[in-house]
């Protein structure tokens, strides 16, 4: 297949490009490099450009042989979305419309969309399945849910098939050591902890230890990046075979507290580091754990990195390999 990966120079996109290319697909990455890295696109063709730019989209789609589009080019920082909602609605909603319009113009009808656990807001129950109410509590979550709703209508009216994959906490790195997480600024827990473990950061700040959880810190469901990518590949195959849209929650179904993640990182790295307790970060639900039964049943998806230690180990290899040399 020939697949356009929008945002293929970013963390999740770059791993996806590698997996698709290794599986024999023809891959084109479109990325404006606002957050991505040119050197993270190690496979296929690269086009520098914006998903909100009609002319660049038309020139890519004009070739006429693109089978599907995967969209990883969303802005992802919850806190920033609260302060700069216009930026989030512009990129995550308006620019996505431009992409979808261009797909329709060129009769491309298969779309894989990076959605998020943030569409569920504060959970009514855990683990969270696909039927759970959707009531986002920040502009980031709203922007992703808006597109999910638009995609329902585009399916009905235009026959544009989509699979929305709601990631819980994407983590880890390419086990070959070629790719990994490189956000600037970094806000995610595991890379920040590992920076503390390697001495690139003075300490790790725990945002709140007074939540209603066993040890008082927030619980999250960490899912390895390659397992996420596997789910995309399986979802694309199923969607194209059955000509049907779908939505899946993707996680390991196991929750780990911030303190537990810190303990695992100390064990994996063999290093001790300073941990400080800070006030809660605004907008953090206490517990977010996925019920990924549907993805397992319908996609035949089985995460290979079910153990948090294995996930953290791949991220530690990236921290002490590539990142240490930067
Ligand atoms: N945390 C700390 N200290 C830090 C960073 C994070 O204690 O320095 C805590 C957070 O408060 C949270 C947990 O670690 O409890 C995980 O935080 P992350 O920022 O790594 O991940 P989030 O769960 O906030 O966010 C992730 C994705 C978002 C997505 C969200 C879904 O990064 O894009 O899951 O809720 F929206």
């Amino acid at each position: 297949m020939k697949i356009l990966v929008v945002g293929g120079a970013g963390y999740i996109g770059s791993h996806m490009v590698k997996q698709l290319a290794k599986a024999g697909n023809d891959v084109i990455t479109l990325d404006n490099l606002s957050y991505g890295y040119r050197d993270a696109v190690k496979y296929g063709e690269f086009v520098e450009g914006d998903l909100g730019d009609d002319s660049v989209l038309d020139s890519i789609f004009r070739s006429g042989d693109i089978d599907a589009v995967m969209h990883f080019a969303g802005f992802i920082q919850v806190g920033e979305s609260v302060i700069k909602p216009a930026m989030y609605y512009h990129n995550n909603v308006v620019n996505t419309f431009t992409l979808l319009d261009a797909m329709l113009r060129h009769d491309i009808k298969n779309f894989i969309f990076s959605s998020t656990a943030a569409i569920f807001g504060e959970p009514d129950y855990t683990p969270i399945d696909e039927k759970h109410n959707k009531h986002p509590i920040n502009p980031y979550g709203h922007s992703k849910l808006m597109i999910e709703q638009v995609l329902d209508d585009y399916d009905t009216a235009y026959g544009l098939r989509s699979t929305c994959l709601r990631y819980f906490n994407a983590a880890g790195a390419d086990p070959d050591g070629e790719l990994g997480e490189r956000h600037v600024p970094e806000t995610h827990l595991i890379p920040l902890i590992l920076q503390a473990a390697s001495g690139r950061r003075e300490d790790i700040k725990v945002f709140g230890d007074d939540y209603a959880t066993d040890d008082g810190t927030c619980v999250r469901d960490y899912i390895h990046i390659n397992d996420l990518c596997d789910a995309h590949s399986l979802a694309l195959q199923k969607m194209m075979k059955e000509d049907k849209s779908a939505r899946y929650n993707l996680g390991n179904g196991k929750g780990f507290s911030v303190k537990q993640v810190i303990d695992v990182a100390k064990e994996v790295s063999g290093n001790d580091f300073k941990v400080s307790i800070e006030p809660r970060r605004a907008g953090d639900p206490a517990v977010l754990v996925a019920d990924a039964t549907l993805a397992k049943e319908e996609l035949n998806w089985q995460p290979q990195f079910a153990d948090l230690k294995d996930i953290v180990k791949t991220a530690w290899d990236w921290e002490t390999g590539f990142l240490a040399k930067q």
Side-chain angles (χ1 to χ4, degrees), residues 242-309:
E242 297 180 6
D243 192 25
K244 218 168 92 192
S245 292
R247 279 88 183 96
Y248 299 107
N249 295 356
L250 297 180
N252 264 315
K254 274 186 287 195
F256 290 90
S257 72
V258 173
K259 282 187 178 165
Q260 286 176 315
V261 178
I262 291 172
D263 288 344
V264 167
K266 285 185 176 175
E267 191 186 333
V268 167
S269 67
N271 296 340
D272 201 2
F273 47 87
K274 195 174 151 210
V275 177
S276 61
I277 307 297
E278 302 286 324
R280 290 180 177 197
R281 188 173 70 176
D284 275 341
V287 180
L288 280 177
V289 177
D291 179 344
T293 308
L294 194 68
K296 288 181 182 159
E297 284 178 1
E298 292 196 354
L299 299 177
N300 212 7
W301 175 63
Q302 197 51 55
Q304 303 301 307
F305 292 81
D307 188 346
L308 182 62
K309 223 184 286 176

Side-chain angles (χ1 to χ4, degrees), residues 63-310:
S63 65
D65 55 0
I66 299 223
D67 298 294
V69 176
M70 293 188 175
H71 177 14
F72 296 92
F75 291 160
I76 57 162
Q77 288 180 48
V78 171
E80 184 181 55
S81 80
V82 176
I83 299 160
K84 300 177 180 171
M87 180 179 153
Y88 275 70
Y89 288 120
H90 189 81
N91 186 63
N92 292 5
V93 180
V94 178
N95 286 349
T96 303
F97 272 113
T98 305
L99 174 63
L100 293 173
D101 285 348
M103 287 177 62
L104 292 177
R105 266 199 308 283
H106 294 272
D107 204 30
I108 295 160
K109 298 282 179 69
N110 295 295
F111 188 61
I112 304 276
F113 181 59
S114 298
S115 189
T116 170
I119 65 165
F120 297 108
E122 195 68 52
D124 303 331
Y125 58 85
T126 61
I128 300 173
D129 57 15
E130 287 76 7
K131 291 189 202 79
H132 189 286
N133 278 331
K134 284 129 201 115
H135 36 60
I137 54 169
N138 50 60
Y140 168 69
H142 280 294
S143 72
K144 292 285 183 176
L145 183 58
M146 282 176 191
I147 295 299
E148 287 209 13
Q149 288 164 340
V150 164
L151 289 170
D152 288 341
D153 295 339
Y154 279 28
D155 177 278
T156 309
Y158 308 128
L160 190 146
R161 306 296 181 230
S162 62
T163 302
C164 297
L165 299 172
R166 290 91 173 240
Y167 313 152
F168 280 63
N169 287 64
D174 170 26
D176 300 339
E178 238 187 358
L179 302 165
E181 198 164 0
R182 260 196 279 176
H183 294 118
V184 178
E186 188 53 78
T187 61
H188 293 105
L189 182 66
I190 291 177
L192 289 173
I193 293 176
L194 296 180
Q195 286 176 17
S198 70
R200 288 206 298 137
R201 173 174 296 272
E202 203 184 309
D203 63 358
I204 181 71
K205 299 182 183 355
V206 175
F207 297 141
D209 68 350
D210 56 352
Y211 285 94
T213 59
D214 286 349
D215 64 18
T217 65
C218 287
V219 170
R220 293 290 182 271
D221 181 344
Y222 296 90
I223 171 88
H224 191 269
I225 185 86
N226 278 20
D227 287 330
L228 272 187
C229 291
D230 285 348
H232 288 69
S233 298
L234 293 166
L236 179 63
Q237 284 160 25
K238 183 177 166 74
M239 182 172 72
M240 295 193 59
K241 189 162 154 234
E242 297 180 6
D243 192 25
K244 218 168 92 192
S245 292
R247 279 88 183 96
Y248 299 107
N249 295 356
L250 297 180
N252 264 315
K254 274 186 287 195
F256 290 90
S257 72
V258 173
K259 282 187 178 165
Q260 286 176 315
V261 178
I262 291 172
D263 288 344
V264 167
K266 285 185 176 175
E267 191 186 333
V268 167
S269 67
N271 296 340
D272 201 2
F273 47 87
K274 195 174 151 210
V275 177
S276 61
I277 307 297
E278 302 286 324
R280 290 180 177 197
R281 188 173 70 176
D284 275 341
V287 180
L288 280 177
V289 177
D291 179 344
T293 308
L294 194 68
K296 288 181 182 159
E297 284 178 1
E298 292 196 354
L299 299 177
N300 212 7
W301 175 63
Q302 197 51 55
Q304 303 301 307
F305 292 81
D307 188 346
L308 182 62
K309 223 184 286 176
D310 296 336

